[in-house]
């Protein structure tokens, strides 16, 4: 039997992140949590029923911001602890303690929004023009028609930990309860869990191995489909109740409010990709089938590399060369941030048992970003790392130039800086070699890692999610058979008869935590659309485009996503950027086909 992943305590320290900048230990966390509760009570006593004029509001917002900085720090610490080792009991205790107290704190602070929105229109407009928090006030003002009474808002805020329970339950089921069986291949027994499947097996070059691992993985998660469906139904029904309470026409409108995005922008992102990108990705799937000599192109074959034998191995140390080389176009300050991230252990590279899957970047305002990744030594992971460091660079620049209330960009925009970095990585690699095999590998990596992941996987999740919310708005409850059918229909619509949908495809909805984060999935394609256009501007226009982009990142959440994109030179109120991005992807597929013809003719 092959060796399983090591325990967290057995991985090299230099491959783990250092959380001491957040809290030196758990005792310091508990002390700060108690202090924040005390500060929140004092804030409530000092300002409640006093936010009746601009001067008091401005003073209150400054003190409010100070508390939120500490709360942000508190929320990040247990999440970072648990995500690298879901079995860590001390981390679970820290998380449970925060959940217990966070509702009380939220209830004490909830009056701020309510009292500001109780001001007259004239005072609100004057406040927006004479405050250090103009965009925060604008976003608050936009919510005024949907604001409930102060008492109801306080109850909802106090219930925050309960309303987050579906997400917590989903994570527990996924990380701790699912029992994966090992599988045998060529006389060797292979262990299986979420991490090994998604990081190593899902794109394995051996077709029989890949298909066996997919079947074993699907058989395991299928046993939990009813529990997971009930958990997800709990999430969306809660969202439906709040949307109705607030007077929104639909759950989708309610969830888009926070993003400052119109329903047209949301629907266009899904509809145009479903219609225009589908033929391009079907052509890409046929090319993968041809290159690998597959009898049939099946769902579990979609993530394999165009040439697995060519992909170079890469160490963590060697990755610096590519990361620095690709991203130094963004300037010395940005490069210094990258070096600090490596040198000061902002990045958790380790692979260990109990570590969650995927990659993310957490950016507490109090300190700096923390990047979560599981490094397997594949060259394609430099794209993942560049992506997450894109978030880190964005939040550093935003937090350096904006207060906390104006620092976080809309969810619609937040994936633009990360996916833009992937495009800069691609441009850098394109220029590093004229070898057709290398160029084909680069294009294949962009298509399979950057575009397939962000504009197909996440976009199909968005199409699925839209259908789910349409049913919820119609009063339906969700069960596993309903969710399975929606997921399968979405994949069949996109890929037509080019890809055979193996048993297990319908369970793909079980694998994503994004569904517990509002309308997040579609924003990957929205961000990549902006990132693609900006990367081409940087390639063609040079420093002026770089300067515009850095100014966009510095703006953080002080502008709407439409205004942020405009600052970078992109008009997302039309379909033109999306059409241009799909055209670029089509050209990449054509070039991939041309290079394949050239290589096979040798």
């Amino acid at each position: 039997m092959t060796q399983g992943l090591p325990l967290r305590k057995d991985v090299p320290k230099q491959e783990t992140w250092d959380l001491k900048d957040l809290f030196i230990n758990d005792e310091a966390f508990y002390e700060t949590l108690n202090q924040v509760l005390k500060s929140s009570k004092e804030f409530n006593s000092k300002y409640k029923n006093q936010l009746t004029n601009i001067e008091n509001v401005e003073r209150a917002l400054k003190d409010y911001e100070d508390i939120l900085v500490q709360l942000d720090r508190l929320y990040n610490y247990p999440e970072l602890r648990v995500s690298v080792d879901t079995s860590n009991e001390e981390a679970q205790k820290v998380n449970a303690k925060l959940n217990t107290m966070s509702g009380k704190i939220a209830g004490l602070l909830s009056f701020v929004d309510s009292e500001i929105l109780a001001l007259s229109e004239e005072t609100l407009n004057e406040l927006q023009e004479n405050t250090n928090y103009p965009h925060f006030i604008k976003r608050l003002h936009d919510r005024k028609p949907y604001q409930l009474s102060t008492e109801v808002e306080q109850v909802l805020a106090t219930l925050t930990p309960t309303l987050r329970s579906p997400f917590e339950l989903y994570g527990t089921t996924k990380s701790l309860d699912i029992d994966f069986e090992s599988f045998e291949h060529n006389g060797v027994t292979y262990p299986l869990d979420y991490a090994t499947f998604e990081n190593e097996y899902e794109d394995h070059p051996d077709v029989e191995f890949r298909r066996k691992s997919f079947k074993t993985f699907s058989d395991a998660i299928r046993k939990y489909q009813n529990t997971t469906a009930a958990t997800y139904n709990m999430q969306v029904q809660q969202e439906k109740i709040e949307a109705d309470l607030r007077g929104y026409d639909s759950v989708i409108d309610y969830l888009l409010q926070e993003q400052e995005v119109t329903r047209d922008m949301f629907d266009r992102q899904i509809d145009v990709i479903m219609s225009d990108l589908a033929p391009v990705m079907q052509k890409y799937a046929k090319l993968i089938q041809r290159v690998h000599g597959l009898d049939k192109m099946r769902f579990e074959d979609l993530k394999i590399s165009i040439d697995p034998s060519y992909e170079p191995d890469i160490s963590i140390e060697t990755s610096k060369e590519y990361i620095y080389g690709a991203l130094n176009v963004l300037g010395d300050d940005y490069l210094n941030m990258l070096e600090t991230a490596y040198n000061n252990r902002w990045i958790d590279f380790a692979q260990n048992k109990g570590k969650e899957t995927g990659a993310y970047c957490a950016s507490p305002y109090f300190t700096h970003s923390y990047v979560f990744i599981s490094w397997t030594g594949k060259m394609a992971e430099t794209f993942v790392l560049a992506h997450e460091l894109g978030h880190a660079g964005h939040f550093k620049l935003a937090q350096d130039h904006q207060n906390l209330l104006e620092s976080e960009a809309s969810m619609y925009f937040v994936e633009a800086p990360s996916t833009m970095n992937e495009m800069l990585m691609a441009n850098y690699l394109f220029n590093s070699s004229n070898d057709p095999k290398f160029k084909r590998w680069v294009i294949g990596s962009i298509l399979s890692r950057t575009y397939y992941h962000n504009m197909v996987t996440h976009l199909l999740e968005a199409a699925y999610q839209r259908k789910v919310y349409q049913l919820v708005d119609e009063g339906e409850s969700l069960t596993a058979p309903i969710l399975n059918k929606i997921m399968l229909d979405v994949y069949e619509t996109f890929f037509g008869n080019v890809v055979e949908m193996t048993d297990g495809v319908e369970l793909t909805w079980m694998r994503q935590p994004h569904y517990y984060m509002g309308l997040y999935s579609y924003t990957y394609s929205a961000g990549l659309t902006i990132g693609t256009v900006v990367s081409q501007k940087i390639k063609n226009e040079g420093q002026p485009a770089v300067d515009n982009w850095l100014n966009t990142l510095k703006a953080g959440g002080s502008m709407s996503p439409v205004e942020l994109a405009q600052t970078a030179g992109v008009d997302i109120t039309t379909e033109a950027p999306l059409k241009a991005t799909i055209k670029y992807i089509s050209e990449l597929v054509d070039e991939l086909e041309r290079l394949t013809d050239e290589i096979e003719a040798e």
Side-chain angles (χ1 to χ4, degrees):
M1 181 169 178
T2 60
Q3 184 70 37
L5 293 173
L7 297 174
R8 180 70 178 179
K9 65 181 180 65
D10 296 326
V11 300
K13 182 179 178 181
Q14 66 270 22
E15 293 183 10
T16 65
W17 52 28
D18 183 0
L19 300 184
K20 288 188 171 59
D21 288 344
L22 266 180
F23 290 101
I24 193 73
N25 52 35
D26 291 352
E27 288 68 32
F29 170 88
Y30 292 127
E31 288 175 12
T32 302
L33 181 58
N34 290 328
Q35 181 57 51
V36 168
L37 178 60
K38 179 183 176 184
S39 298
S40 299
K41 290 177 179 177
E42 293 170 350
F43 178 86
N44 182 282
S45 177
K46 180 178 180 180
Y47 289 111
K48 190 172 184 180
N49 299 320
Q50 301 301 312
L51 304 186
T52 55
N53 58 66
I54 291 175
E55 292 75 19
N56 282 359
V57 170
E58 193 71 11
R59 281 196 294 271
L61 287 178
K62 179 63 181 73
D63 292 346
Y64 181 56
E65 184 186 5
D66 292 340
I67 294 173
L68 293 182
V69 168
Q70 294 300 323
L71 266 178
D72 182 39
R73 175 190 181 198
L74 288 165
Y75 274 115
N76 274 280
Y77 181 69
E79 182 179 336
L80 295 169
R81 294 272 315 277
V82 171
S83 67
V84 295
D85 187 359
T86 53
S87 65
N88 185 325
E89 292 185 6
E90 290 303 314
Q92 292 172 18
K93 288 178 185 177
V94 168
N95 196 41
K97 182 67 173 178
L98 176 63
N99 283 338
T100 299
M101 293 181 67
S102 61
K104 298 176 186 177
I105 294 169
L108 289 165
L109 301 177
S110 66
F111 74 91
V112 174
D113 289 2
S114 297
E115 291 193 21
I116 291 175
L117 289 179
L119 297 171
S120 67
E121 286 294 311
E122 180 183 353
T123 304
L124 273 173
N125 290 330
E126 187 179 348
L127 175 61
Q128 190 175 328
E129 294 173 4
N130 299 282
T131 180
N132 291 318
Y133 312 95
H135 197 67
F136 170 76
I137 298 297
K138 179 187 181 302
R139 291 173 60 216
L140 204 55
H141 196 174
D142 290 343
R143 282 189 4 233
K144 187 169 185 176
Y146 310 102
Q147 188 75 0
L148 301 172
S149 70
T150 302
E151 294 75 17
V152 174
E153 292 290 354
Q154 182 176 359
V155 170
L156 287 174
T158 305
L159 286 171
T160 299
T162 302
L163 298 176
R164 279 182 52 85
S165 294
F167 179 62
E168 301 278 348
L169 181 56
Y170 168 77
T172 300
T173 303
K174 178 179 176 179
S175 301
L176 297 178
D177 285 351
I178 297 180
D179 184 21
F180 291 95
E181 295 183 1
S182 301
F183 65 96
E184 185 273 334
H185 179 66
N186 289 344
V188 179
T189 302
Y190 292 87
L192 183 71
D193 56 25
Y194 254 101
T196 52
F197 177 72
E198 293 191 347
N199 293 335
E200 297 181 46
Y201 298 167
E202 191 172 25
D203 61 352
H204 197 282
D206 185 316
V207 60
E208 185 182 351
F209 180 98
R210 187 171 62 249
R211 293 176 177 178
K212 278 184 182 177
S213 69
F214 179 76
K215 184 181 186 308
T216 308
F217 177 84
S218 299
D219 288 346
I221 66 173
R222 183 178 284 107
K223 297 173 184 175
Y224 296 81
Q225 61 179 316
N226 295 310
T227 299
T228 308
T231 303
Y232 182 40
N233 187 58
M234 193 190 314
Q235 170 75 23
V236 297
Q237 298 301 339
Q238 286 178 177
E239 291 167 336
K240 172 62 175 172
I241 290 168
E242 185 163 352
D244 286 349
L245 281 174
R246 294 189 179 281
Y248 287 93
D249 292 335
S250 73
V251 185
I252 291 175
D253 291 334
Y254 159 61
L255 294 172
L256 288 176
Q257 173 84 51
E258 186 68 20
Q259 296 183 17
E260 300 180 271
V261 170
T262 66
R263 181 65 179 268
D264 285 345
M265 291 169 66
F266 169 75
D267 285 333
R268 183 179 67 222
Q269 200 69 27
I270 297 173
D271 293 339
V272 172
I273 290 178
M274 288 294 288
S275 63
D276 290 19
L277 185 61
V280 176
M281 297 313 293
Q282 289 172 20
K283 182 176 181 180
Y284 170 67
K286 288 178 181 177
L287 182 61
I288 291 290
Q289 180 181 4
R290 166 191 152 189
V291 169
H292 287 271
L294 301 174
D295 56 338
K296 294 179 180 178
M297 186 66 185
R298 290 166 44 165
F299 171 80
E300 60 268 44
D301 301 323
L302 283 167
K303 293 192 175 181
I304 55 177
S305 169
I306 191 74
D307 187 359
S309 66
Y310 189 84
E311 180 171 347
D313 293 331
I314 184 169
S315 66
I316 293 170
E317 185 64 28
T318 308
S319 71
K320 297 177 183 178
E321 173 190 341
Y322 293 94
I323 295 291
Y324 297 166
L327 304 183
N328 69 6
V329 66
L330 298 177
D332 291 342
D333 289 345
Y334 201 97
L335 192 60
N336 288 338
M337 183 276 297
L338 298 173
E339 292 174 341
T340 304
Y342 274 102
N343 296 336
N344 291 9
R345 290 173 56 205
W346 293 10
I347 309 170
D348 199 272
F349 291 100
Q351 285 197 90
N352 59 264
K353 189 174 179 59
K355 187 172 182 177
E356 292 179 353
T357 59
Y360 70 80
C361 175
S363 299
Y365 195 96
F366 183 80
T367 52
H368 52 73
S369 292
Y370 287 93
V371 171
F372 174 102
I373 188 173
S374 295
W375 194 262
T376 62
K378 296 178 181 178
M379 178 66 178
E381 283 169 355
T382 56
F383 285 94
V384 182
L385 186 54
H387 177 107
E388 300 307 336
L389 288 170
H391 289 305
H394 181 201
F395 283 106
K396 182 175 192 317
L397 287 168
Q399 292 172 2
D400 284 349
H401 292 86
Q402 307 294 334
N403 58 61
L404 179 134
L405 293 174
E406 304 251 308
S407 66
E408 189 164 342
S410 161
M411 188 186 289
Y412 183 91
F413 181 84
V414 79
E415 292 298 336
S418 52
T419 52
M420 216 283 286
N421 274 17
E422 292 190 54
M423 300 313 302
L424 292 179
M425 176 63 68
N427 291 343
Y428 175 76
L429 290 174
F430 273 141
N431 295 327
S432 66
S433 172
N434 290 319
D435 181 350
K437 286 191 175 180
F438 181 79
K439 283 186 176 292
R440 185 173 73 159
W441 174 82
V442 172
I443 294 174
S445 295
I446 298 165
L447 288 169
S448 63
R449 209 331 299 169
T450 302
Y451 284 112
Y452 186 88
H453 185 68
N454 295 303
M455 293 196 81
V456 178
T457 298
H458 289 321
L459 194 281
L460 296 184
E461 290 167 4
Y464 153 87
Q465 201 174 20
R466 181 171 64 174
K467 181 60 178 175
V468 164
Y469 283 124
Q470 288 169 348
L471 290 178
V472 171
D473 277 329
E474 293 167 3
E476 296 288 335
S477 286
L478 306 176
T479 61
I482 290 173
L483 296 175
N484 290 345
K485 184 177 187 309
I486 296 171
M487 190 89 266
L488 185 60
D489 286 349
V490 167
Y491 270 98
E492 287 180 339
T493 299
F494 189 84
F495 283 106
N497 59 7
V498 171
V499 177
E500 181 179 301
M501 296 298 148
T502 321
D503 284 347
V505 175
E506 75 282 3
L507 303 173
T508 307
W509 62 270
M510 294 180 63
R511 295 168 56 180
Q512 265 304 348
H514 290 153
Y515 307 137
Y516 300 82
M517 304 175 189
L519 295 173
Y520 188 17
S521 296
Y522 90 102
T523 66
Y524 280 87
S525 64
L528 184 51
T529 298
I530 297 169
T532 299
V533 175
V534 172
S535 69
Q536 293 301 305
K537 282 181 173 292
I538 289 175
K539 182 179 178 180
N540 297 326
E541 300 171 17
Q543 195 60 44
V546 171
D547 293 341
N548 288 340
W549 183 240
L550 292 175
N551 288 332
T552 302
L553 300 184
K554 291 173 185 176
S558 66
M559 298 178 180
S560 71
V562 170
E563 292 167 331
L564 288 169
Q566 285 173 341
T567 302
V570 185
D571 182 3
I572 57 172
T573 63
T574 75
E575 65 178 17
L578 182 53
K579 292 276 191 178
T581 299
I582 293 173
K583 180 175 181 290
Y584 177 68
I585 300 171
S586 181
E587 290 168 352
L588 287 178
V589 173
D590 289 344
E591 178 66 6
L592 193 66
E593 192 170 49
R594 188 194 66 78
L595 287 167
T596 298
D597 290 342
E598 179 182 338
I599 292 165
E600 291 180 351
E602 290 179 355

